[in-house]
PDB file of all heavy atoms in Angstrom:
ATOM      1  N   ALA V 116       3.748 -12.369 -11.258  1.00 97.00           N
ATOM      2  CA  ALA V 116       4.185 -11.160 -10.585  1.00 97.00           C
ATOM      3  C   ALA V 116       4.828 -10.142 -11.545  1.00 97.00           C
ATOM      4  O   ALA V 116       4.766  -8.940 -11.281  1.00 97.00           O
ATOM      5  CB  ALA V 116       5.129 -11.480  -9.460  1.00 97.00           C
ATOM      6  N   MET V 117       5.421 -10.594 -12.632  1.00 96.00           N
ATOM      7  CA  MET V 117       6.162  -9.673 -13.520  1.00 96.00           C
ATOM      8  C   MET V 117       5.255  -9.007 -14.555  1.00 96.00           C
ATOM      9  O   MET V 117       5.693  -8.058 -15.231  1.00 96.00           O
ATOM     10  CB  MET V 117       7.254 -10.454 -14.233  1.00 96.00           C
ATOM     11  CG  MET V 117       8.250 -11.158 -13.308  1.00 96.00           C
ATOM     12  SD  MET V 117       9.010  -9.999 -12.147  1.00 96.00           S
ATOM     13  CE  MET V 117       9.984  -8.985 -13.295  1.00 96.00           C
ATOM     14  N   GLU V 118       4.021  -9.446 -14.711  1.00 98.00           N
ATOM     15  CA  GLU V 118       3.168  -8.882 -15.746  1.00 98.00           C
ATOM     16  C   GLU V 118       2.801  -7.419 -15.553  1.00 98.00           C
ATOM     17  O   GLU V 118       2.820  -6.636 -16.538  1.00 98.00           O
ATOM     18  CB  GLU V 118       1.875  -9.707 -15.877  1.00 98.00           C
ATOM     19  CG  GLU V 118       2.117 -11.104 -16.423  1.00 98.00           C
ATOM     20  CD  GLU V 118       0.812 -11.927 -16.511  1.00 98.00           C
ATOM     21  OE1 GLU V 118      -0.219 -11.326 -16.850  1.00 98.00           O
ATOM     22  OE2 GLU V 118       0.851 -13.114 -16.143  1.00 98.00           O
ATOM     23  N   PRO V 119       2.461  -6.952 -14.363  1.00 98.00           N
ATOM     24  CA  PRO V 119       2.090  -5.528 -14.220  1.00 98.00           C
ATOM     25  C   PRO V 119       3.187  -4.566 -14.664  1.00 98.00           C
ATOM     26  O   PRO V 119       2.896  -3.565 -15.320  1.00 98.00           O
ATOM     27  CB  PRO V 119       1.788  -5.416 -12.729  1.00 98.00           C
ATOM     28  CG  PRO V 119       1.337  -6.771 -12.311  1.00 98.00           C
ATOM     29  CD  PRO V 119       2.212  -7.703 -13.111  1.00 98.00           C
ATOM     30  N   ALA V 120       4.423  -4.844 -14.291  1.00 97.00           N
ATOM     31  CA  ALA V 120       5.522  -3.950 -14.676  1.00 97.00           C
ATOM     32  C   ALA V 120       5.701  -3.928 -16.180  1.00 97.00           C
ATOM     33  O   ALA V 120       5.958  -2.854 -16.769  1.00 97.00           O
ATOM     34  CB  ALA V 120       6.845  -4.405 -14.013  1.00 97.00           C
ATOM     35  N   ALA V 121       5.526  -5.052 -16.811  1.00 97.00           N
ATOM     36  CA  ALA V 121       5.627  -5.115 -18.299  1.00 97.00           C
ATOM     37  C   ALA V 121       4.492  -4.279 -18.943  1.00 97.00           C
ATOM     38  O   ALA V 121       4.728  -3.556 -19.928  1.00 97.00           O
ATOM     39  CB  ALA V 121       5.559  -6.533 -18.779  1.00 97.00           C
ATOM     40  N   GLN V 122       3.301  -4.395 -18.379  1.00 98.00           N
ATOM     41  CA  GLN V 122       2.189  -3.574 -18.922  1.00 98.00           C
ATOM     42  C   GLN V 122       2.428  -2.059 -18.681  1.00 98.00           C
ATOM     43  O   GLN V 122       2.178  -1.251 -19.566  1.00 98.00           O
ATOM     44  CB  GLN V 122       0.861  -4.007 -18.326  1.00 98.00           C
ATOM     45  CG  GLN V 122       0.356  -5.338 -18.913  1.00 98.00           C
ATOM     46  CD  GLN V 122      -1.140  -5.502 -18.709  1.00 98.00           C
ATOM     47  OE1 GLN V 122      -1.848  -4.607 -18.288  1.00 98.00           O
ATOM     48  NE2 GLN V 122      -1.627  -6.705 -19.045  1.00 98.00           N
ATOM     49  N   MET V 123       2.921  -1.731 -17.506  1.00 98.00           N
ATOM     50  CA  MET V 123       3.181  -0.316 -17.213  1.00 98.00           C
ATOM     51  C   MET V 123       4.170   0.251 -18.200  1.00 98.00           C
ATOM     52  O   MET V 123       4.018   1.416 -18.658  1.00 98.00           O
ATOM     53  CB  MET V 123       3.652  -0.127 -15.780  1.00 98.00           C
ATOM     54  CG  MET V 123       3.859   1.342 -15.393  1.00 98.00           C
ATOM     55  SD  MET V 123       3.984   1.646 -13.623  1.00 98.00           S
ATOM     56  CE  MET V 123       5.523   0.860 -13.275  1.00 98.00           C
ATOM     57  N   LYS V 124       5.172  -0.508 -18.526  1.00 97.00           N
ATOM     58  CA  LYS V 124       6.191  -0.070 -19.512  1.00 97.00           C
ATOM     59  C   LYS V 124       5.533   0.244 -20.862  1.00 97.00           C
ATOM     60  O   LYS V 124       5.821   1.208 -21.527  1.00 97.00           O
ATOM     61  CB  LYS V 124       7.260  -1.122 -19.669  1.00 97.00           C
ATOM     62  CG  LYS V 124       8.425  -0.716 -20.556  1.00 97.00           C
ATOM     63  CD  LYS V 124       9.502  -1.816 -20.594  1.00 97.00           C
ATOM     64  CE  LYS V 124      10.648  -1.420 -21.497  1.00 97.00           C
ATOM     65  NZ  LYS V 124      11.697  -2.509 -21.538  1.00 97.00           N
ATOM     66  N   TYR V 125       4.586  -0.628 -21.257  1.00 97.00           N
ATOM     67  CA  TYR V 125       3.818  -0.415 -22.506  1.00 97.00           C
ATOM     68  C   TYR V 125       2.994   0.868 -22.393  1.00 97.00           C
ATOM     69  O   TYR V 125       2.986   1.676 -23.329  1.00 97.00           O
ATOM     70  CB  TYR V 125       2.926  -1.613 -22.814  1.00 97.00           C
ATOM     71  CG  TYR V 125       1.894  -1.344 -23.879  1.00 97.00           C
ATOM     72  CD1 TYR V 125       2.202  -1.577 -25.224  1.00 97.00           C
ATOM     73  CD2 TYR V 125       0.653  -0.808 -23.562  1.00 97.00           C
ATOM     74  CE1 TYR V 125       1.271  -1.262 -26.224  1.00 97.00           C
ATOM     75  CE2 TYR V 125      -0.290  -0.520 -24.557  1.00 97.00           C
ATOM     76  CZ  TYR V 125       0.048  -0.743 -25.887  1.00 97.00           C
ATOM     77  OH  TYR V 125      -0.892  -0.459 -26.865  1.00 97.00           O
ATOM     78  N   PHE V 126       2.255   1.039 -21.314  1.00 98.00           N
ATOM     79  CA  PHE V 126       1.419   2.217 -21.179  1.00 98.00           C
ATOM     80  C   PHE V 126       2.210   3.496 -21.234  1.00 98.00           C
ATOM     81  O   PHE V 126       1.841   4.457 -21.894  1.00 98.00           O
ATOM     82  CB  PHE V 126       0.619   2.152 -19.850  1.00 98.00           C
ATOM     83  CG  PHE V 126      -0.344   1.007 -19.765  1.00 98.00           C
ATOM     84  CD1 PHE V 126      -0.489   0.275 -18.611  1.00 98.00           C
ATOM     85  CD2 PHE V 126      -1.133   0.638 -20.846  1.00 98.00           C
ATOM     86  CE1 PHE V 126      -1.368  -0.786 -18.506  1.00 98.00           C
ATOM     87  CE2 PHE V 126      -2.028  -0.411 -20.793  1.00 98.00           C
ATOM     88  CZ  PHE V 126      -2.152  -1.136 -19.611  1.00 98.00           C
ATOM     89  N   GLU V 127       3.337   3.506 -20.518  1.00 98.00           N
ATOM     90  CA  GLU V 127       4.188   4.722 -20.513  1.00 98.00           C
ATOM     91  C   GLU V 127       4.742   5.013 -21.901  1.00 98.00           C
ATOM     92  O   GLU V 127       4.787   6.171 -22.317  1.00 98.00           O
ATOM     93  CB  GLU V 127       5.321   4.514 -19.495  1.00 98.00           C
ATOM     94  CG  GLU V 127       4.844   4.552 -18.043  1.00 98.00           C
ATOM     95  CD  GLU V 127       5.922   4.227 -17.059  1.00 98.00           C
ATOM     96  OE1 GLU V 127       6.949   3.595 -17.447  1.00 98.00           O
ATOM     97  OE2 GLU V 127       5.779   4.559 -15.875  1.00 98.00           O
ATOM     98  N   ALA V 128       5.119   3.967 -22.633  1.00 97.00           N
ATOM     99  CA  ALA V 128       5.681   4.151 -23.969  1.00 97.00           C
ATOM    100  C   ALA V 128       4.607   4.651 -24.940  1.00 97.00           C
ATOM    101  O   ALA V 128       4.948   5.291 -25.957  1.00 97.00           O
ATOM    102  CB  ALA V 128       6.287   2.843 -24.458  1.00 97.00           C
ATOM    103  N   ASN V 129       3.336   4.406 -24.652  1.00 97.00           N
ATOM    104  CA  ASN V 129       2.263   4.806 -25.537  1.00 97.00           C
ATOM    105  C   ASN V 129       1.445   5.971 -24.993  1.00 97.00           C
ATOM    106  O   ASN V 129       0.320   6.211 -25.453  1.00 97.00           O
ATOM    107  CB  ASN V 129       1.362   3.619 -25.809  1.00 97.00           C
ATOM    108  CG  ASN V 129       2.037   2.575 -26.725  1.00 97.00           C
ATOM    109  OD1 ASN V 129       1.971   2.707 -27.939  1.00 97.00           O
ATOM    110  ND2 ASN V 129       2.665   1.588 -26.120  1.00 97.00           N
ATOM    111  N   ASN V 130       2.029   6.686 -24.006  1.00 96.00           N
ATOM    112  CA  ASN V 130       1.421   7.904 -23.459  1.00 96.00           C
ATOM    113  C   ASN V 130       0.021   7.664 -22.891  1.00 96.00           C
ATOM    114  O   ASN V 130      -0.870   8.506 -22.967  1.00 96.00           O
ATOM    115  CB  ASN V 130       1.356   8.994 -24.529  1.00 96.00           C
ATOM    116  CG  ASN V 130       2.734   9.400 -25.017  1.00 96.00           C
ATOM    117  OD1 ASN V 130       3.639   9.631 -24.219  1.00 96.00           O
ATOM    118  ND2 ASN V 130       2.901   9.438 -26.334  1.00 96.00           N
ATOM    119  N   ILE V 131      -0.168   6.466 -22.293  1.00 97.00           N
ATOM    120  CA  ILE V 131      -1.410   6.187 -21.578  1.00 97.00           C
ATOM    121  C   ILE V 131      -1.128   6.464 -20.100  1.00 97.00           C
ATOM    122  O   ILE V 131      -0.236   5.880 -19.515  1.00 97.00           O
ATOM    123  CB  ILE V 131      -1.820   4.709 -21.781  1.00 97.00           C
ATOM    124  CG1 ILE V 131      -2.120   4.492 -23.285  1.00 97.00           C
ATOM    125  CG2 ILE V 131      -3.065   4.379 -20.954  1.00 97.00           C
ATOM    126  CD1 ILE V 131      -2.344   3.032 -23.647  1.00 97.00           C
ATOM    127  N   PRO V 132      -1.863   7.390 -19.497  1.00 97.00           N
ATOM    128  CA  PRO V 132      -1.556   7.831 -18.127  1.00 97.00           C
ATOM    129  C   PRO V 132      -1.690   6.715 -17.088  1.00 97.00           C
ATOM    130  O   PRO V 132      -2.503   5.791 -17.263  1.00 97.00           O
ATOM    131  CB  PRO V 132      -2.504   8.958 -17.872  1.00 97.00           C
ATOM    132  CG  PRO V 132      -3.615   8.779 -18.826  1.00 97.00           C
ATOM    133  CD  PRO V 132      -3.021   8.123 -20.039  1.00 97.00           C
ATOM    134  N   ILE V 133      -0.956   6.837 -16.012  1.00 98.00           N
ATOM    135  CA  ILE V 133      -0.998   5.896 -14.889  1.00 98.00           C
ATOM    136  C   ILE V 133      -1.598   6.602 -13.671  1.00 98.00           C
ATOM    137  O   ILE V 133      -1.094   7.665 -13.263  1.00 98.00           O
ATOM    138  CB  ILE V 133       0.383   5.358 -14.494  1.00 98.00           C
ATOM    139  CG1 ILE V 133       1.091   4.759 -15.741  1.00 98.00           C
ATOM    140  CG2 ILE V 133       0.306   4.342 -13.370  1.00 98.00           C
ATOM    141  CD1 ILE V 133       0.427   3.518 -16.314  1.00 98.00           C
ATOM    142  N   LEU V 134      -2.674   6.082 -13.108  1.00 98.00           N
ATOM    143  CA  LEU V 134      -3.295   6.676 -11.938  1.00 98.00           C
ATOM    144  C   LEU V 134      -2.544   6.242 -10.636  1.00 98.00           C
ATOM    145  O   LEU V 134      -2.389   7.039  -9.732  1.00 98.00           O
ATOM    146  CB  LEU V 134      -4.760   6.270 -11.839  1.00 98.00           C
ATOM    147  CG  LEU V 134      -5.499   6.757 -10.583  1.00 98.00           C
ATOM    148  CD1 LEU V 134      -5.526   8.292 -10.496  1.00 98.00           C
ATOM    149  CD2 LEU V 134      -6.931   6.209 -10.567  1.00 98.00           C
ATOM    150  N   GLY V 135      -2.110   5.001 -10.599  1.00 98.00           N
ATOM    151  CA  GLY V 135      -1.457   4.502  -9.424  1.00 98.00           C
ATOM    152  C   GLY V 135      -1.092   3.036  -9.527  1.00 98.00           C
ATOM    153  O   GLY V 135      -1.415   2.393 -10.517  1.00 98.00           O
ATOM    154  N   THR V 136      -0.445   2.546  -8.497  1.00 98.00           N
ATOM    155  CA  THR V 136       0.029   1.170  -8.482  1.00 98.00           C
ATOM    156  C   THR V 136      -0.339   0.528  -7.158  1.00 98.00           C
ATOM    157  O   THR V 136      -0.201   1.124  -6.057  1.00 98.00           O
ATOM    158  CB  THR V 136       1.586   1.150  -8.618  1.00 98.00           C
ATOM    159  OG1 THR V 136       1.941   1.796  -9.852  1.00 98.00           O
ATOM    160  CG2 THR V 136       2.114  -0.275  -8.646  1.00 98.00           C
ATOM    161  N   ILE V 137      -0.842  -0.699  -7.210  1.00 98.00           N
ATOM    162  CA  ILE V 137      -1.118  -1.485  -6.007  1.00 98.00           C
ATOM    163  C   ILE V 137       0.178  -2.100  -5.515  1.00 98.00           C
ATOM    164  O   ILE V 137       0.888  -2.756  -6.279  1.00 98.00           O
ATOM    165  CB  ILE V 137      -2.171  -2.593  -6.291  1.00 98.00           C
ATOM    166  CG1 ILE V 137      -3.425  -1.972  -6.911  1.00 98.00           C
ATOM    167  CG2 ILE V 137      -2.479  -3.358  -5.018  1.00 98.00           C
ATOM    168  CD1 ILE V 137      -4.134  -0.964  -6.047  1.00 98.00           C
ATOM    169  N   LYS V 138       0.467  -1.907  -4.266  1.00 98.00           N
ATOM    170  CA  LYS V 138       1.737  -2.367  -3.695  1.00 98.00           C
ATOM    171  C   LYS V 138       1.517  -3.416  -2.602  1.00 98.00           C
ATOM    172  O   LYS V 138       0.493  -3.430  -1.930  1.00 98.00           O
ATOM    173  CB  LYS V 138       2.481  -1.175  -3.116  1.00 98.00           C
ATOM    174  CG  LYS V 138       2.890  -0.116  -4.152  1.00 98.00           C
ATOM    175  CD  LYS V 138       3.597   1.073  -3.489  1.00 98.00           C
ATOM    176  CE  LYS V 138       4.149   2.025  -4.563  1.00 98.00           C
ATOM    177  NZ  LYS V 138       3.108   2.621  -5.398  1.00 98.00           N
ATOM    178  N   ALA V 139       2.536  -4.310  -2.419  1.00 98.00           N
ATOM    179  CA  ALA V 139       2.477  -5.303  -1.405  1.00 98.00           C
ATOM    180  C   ALA V 139       2.350  -4.648  -0.035  1.00 98.00           C
ATOM    181  O   ALA V 139       2.927  -3.553   0.169  1.00 98.00           O
ATOM    182  CB  ALA V 139       3.728  -6.190  -1.468  1.00 98.00           C
ATOM    183  N   PRO V 140       1.639  -5.276   0.880  1.00 98.00           N
ATOM    184  CA  PRO V 140       1.049  -6.603   0.829  1.00 98.00           C
ATOM    185  C   PRO V 140      -0.245  -6.715   0.063  1.00 98.00           C
ATOM    186  O   PRO V 140      -0.873  -7.765   0.028  1.00 98.00           O
ATOM    187  CB  PRO V 140       0.857  -6.950   2.297  1.00 98.00           C
ATOM    188  CG  PRO V 140       0.511  -5.625   2.916  1.00 98.00           C
ATOM    189  CD  PRO V 140       1.388  -4.646   2.213  1.00 98.00           C
ATOM    190  N   GLY V 141      -0.664  -5.610  -0.567  1.00 98.00           N
ATOM    191  CA  GLY V 141      -1.918  -5.622  -1.295  1.00 98.00           C
ATOM    192  C   GLY V 141      -1.801  -6.439  -2.585  1.00 98.00           C
ATOM    193  O   GLY V 141      -0.773  -6.383  -3.266  1.00 98.00           O
ATOM    194  N   THR V 142      -2.846  -7.156  -2.915  1.00 98.00           N
ATOM    195  CA  THR V 142      -2.953  -7.836  -4.201  1.00 98.00           C
ATOM    196  C   THR V 142      -4.275  -7.460  -4.849  1.00 98.00           C
ATOM    197  O   THR V 142      -5.270  -7.252  -4.144  1.00 98.00           O
ATOM    198  CB  THR V 142      -2.851  -9.382  -4.078  1.00 98.00           C
ATOM    199  OG1 THR V 142      -3.923  -9.871  -3.272  1.00 98.00           O
ATOM    200  CG2 THR V 142      -1.496  -9.788  -3.466  1.00 98.00           C
ATOM    201  N   LEU V 143      -4.241  -7.333  -6.131  1.00 98.00           N
ATOM    202  CA  LEU V 143      -5.435  -6.959  -6.891  1.00 98.00           C
ATOM    203  C   LEU V 143      -5.262  -7.438  -8.339  1.00 98.00           C
ATOM    204  O   LEU V 143      -4.185  -7.194  -8.913  1.00 98.00           O
ATOM    205  CB  LEU V 143      -5.646  -5.432  -6.863  1.00 98.00           C
ATOM    206  CG  LEU V 143      -6.869  -4.884  -7.580  1.00 98.00           C
ATOM    207  CD1 LEU V 143      -8.135  -5.252  -6.825  1.00 98.00           C
ATOM    208  CD2 LEU V 143      -6.753  -3.368  -7.715  1.00 98.00           C
ATOM    209  N   GLU V 144      -6.260  -8.098  -8.862  1.00 98.00           N
ATOM    210  CA  GLU V 144      -6.214  -8.557 -10.267  1.00 98.00           C
ATOM    211  C   GLU V 144      -7.372  -8.019 -11.035  1.00 98.00           C
ATOM    212  O   GLU V 144      -8.507  -7.936 -10.528  1.00 98.00           O
ATOM    213  CB  GLU V 144      -6.130 -10.084 -10.321  1.00 98.00           C
ATOM    214  CG  GLU V 144      -4.872 -10.649  -9.712  1.00 98.00           C
ATOM    215  CD  GLU V 144      -4.628 -12.096 -10.052  1.00 98.00           C
ATOM    216  OE1 GLU V 144      -5.463 -12.684 -10.778  1.00 98.00           O
ATOM    217  OE2 GLU V 144      -3.584 -12.642  -9.616  1.00 98.00           O
ATOM    218  N   GLY V 145      -7.125  -7.636 -12.299  1.00 98.00           N
ATOM    219  CA  GLY V 145      -8.157  -7.015 -13.141  1.00 98.00           C
ATOM    220  C   GLY V 145      -9.381  -7.878 -13.383  1.00 98.00           C
ATOM    221  O   GLY V 145     -10.470  -7.345 -13.608  1.00 98.00           O
ATOM    222  N   GLY V 146      -9.228  -9.199 -13.313  1.00 98.00           N
ATOM    223  CA  GLY V 146     -10.377 -10.070 -13.472  1.00 98.00           C
ATOM    224  C   GLY V 146     -11.340 -10.009 -12.288  1.00 98.00           C
ATOM    225  O   GLY V 146     -12.439 -10.529 -12.392  1.00 98.00           O
ATOM    226  N   ASP V 147     -10.917  -9.359 -11.217  1.00 98.00           N
ATOM    227  CA  ASP V 147     -11.783  -9.240 -10.028  1.00 98.00           C
ATOM    228  C   ASP V 147     -12.535  -7.910  -9.996  1.00 98.00           C
ATOM    229  O   ASP V 147     -13.174  -7.592  -8.997  1.00 98.00           O
ATOM    230  CB  ASP V 147     -10.937  -9.374  -8.744  1.00 98.00           C
ATOM    231  CG  ASP V 147     -10.827 -10.797  -8.279  1.00 98.00           C
ATOM    232  OD1 ASP V 147     -11.772 -11.565  -8.460  1.00 98.00           O
ATOM    233  OD2 ASP V 147      -9.745 -11.174  -7.744  1.00 98.00           O
ATOM    234  N   VAL V 148     -12.448  -7.098 -11.036  1.00 98.00           N
ATOM    235  CA  VAL V 148     -13.147  -5.833 -11.041  1.00 98.00           C
ATOM    236  C   VAL V 148     -14.005  -5.693 -12.283  1.00 98.00           C
ATOM    237  O   VAL V 148     -13.666  -6.191 -13.358  1.00 98.00           O
ATOM    238  CB  VAL V 148     -12.168  -4.612 -10.950  1.00 98.00           C
ATOM    239  CG1 VAL V 148     -11.343  -4.695  -9.681  1.00 98.00           C
ATOM    240  CG2 VAL V 148     -11.310  -4.494 -12.170  1.00 98.00           C
ATOM    241  N   ALA V 149     -15.143  -5.017 -12.124  1.00 98.00           N
ATOM    242  CA  ALA V 149     -16.025  -4.760 -13.244  1.00 98.00           C
ATOM    243  C   ALA V 149     -16.814  -3.465 -12.976  1.00 98.00           C
ATOM    244  O   ALA V 149     -17.340  -3.265 -11.875  1.00 98.00           O
ATOM    245  CB  ALA V 149     -17.012  -5.923 -13.429  1.00 98.00           C
ATOM    246  N   TRP V 150     -16.852  -2.593 -13.974  1.00 98.00           N
ATOM    247  CA  TRP V 150     -17.630  -1.359 -13.849  1.00 98.00           C
ATOM    248  C   TRP V 150     -19.101  -1.666 -14.000  1.00 98.00           C
ATOM    249  O   TRP V 150     -19.531  -2.234 -15.022  1.00 98.00           O
ATOM    250  CB  TRP V 150     -17.205  -0.364 -14.918  1.00 98.00           C
ATOM    251  CG  TRP V 150     -15.827   0.178 -14.706  1.00 98.00           C
ATOM    252  CD1 TRP V 150     -14.667  -0.207 -15.349  1.00 98.00           C
ATOM    253  CD2 TRP V 150     -15.449   1.219 -13.795  1.00 98.00           C
ATOM    254  NE1 TRP V 150     -13.603   0.488 -14.873  1.00 98.00           N
ATOM    255  CE2 TRP V 150     -14.030   1.386 -13.932  1.00 98.00           C
ATOM    256  CE3 TRP V 150     -16.156   2.005 -12.893  1.00 98.00           C
ATOM    257  CZ2 TRP V 150     -13.341   2.304 -13.171  1.00 98.00           C
ATOM    258  CZ3 TRP V 150     -15.425   2.945 -12.135  1.00 98.00           C
ATOM    259  CH2 TRP V 150     -14.043   3.065 -12.282  1.00 98.00           C
ATOM    260  N   LEU V 151     -19.887  -1.332 -12.991  1.00 98.00           N
ATOM    261  CA  LEU V 151     -21.351  -1.464 -13.058  1.00 98.00           C
ATOM    262  C   LEU V 151     -21.964  -0.240 -13.732  1.00 98.00           C
ATOM    263  O   LEU V 151     -22.974  -0.346 -14.436  1.00 98.00           O
ATOM    264  CB  LEU V 151     -21.944  -1.653 -11.671  1.00 98.00           C
ATOM    265  CG  LEU V 151     -21.452  -2.872 -10.903  1.00 98.00           C
ATOM    266  CD1 LEU V 151     -22.197  -2.988  -9.579  1.00 98.00           C
ATOM    267  CD2 LEU V 151     -21.621  -4.155 -11.692  1.00 98.00           C
ATOM    268  N   ASP V 152     -21.384   0.905 -13.490  1.00 97.00           N
ATOM    269  CA  ASP V 152     -21.717   2.154 -14.189  1.00 97.00           C
ATOM    270  C   ASP V 152     -20.510   3.084 -14.076  1.00 97.00           C
ATOM    271  O   ASP V 152     -19.484   2.674 -13.483  1.00 97.00           O
ATOM    272  CB  ASP V 152     -23.002   2.796 -13.669  1.00 97.00           C
ATOM    273  CG  ASP V 152     -22.948   3.145 -12.180  1.00 97.00           C
ATOM    274  OD1 ASP V 152     -21.937   3.735 -11.728  1.00 97.00           O
ATOM    275  OD2 ASP V 152     -23.880   2.786 -11.434  1.00 97.00           O
TER     276      ASP V 152
END
Side-chain angles (χ1 to χ4, degrees):
M117 302 304 293
E118 292 178 40
Q122 285 200 8
M123 183 164 68
K124 185 177 180 181
Y125 167 89
F126 296 139
E127 290 174 339
N129 288 274
N130 299 312
I131 298 172
I133 306 296
L134 176 61
T136 302
I137 304 300
K138 297 179 173 61
T142 61
L143 181 71
E144 295 194 359
D147 272 326
V148 302
W150 291 100
L151 300 184
D152 58 48

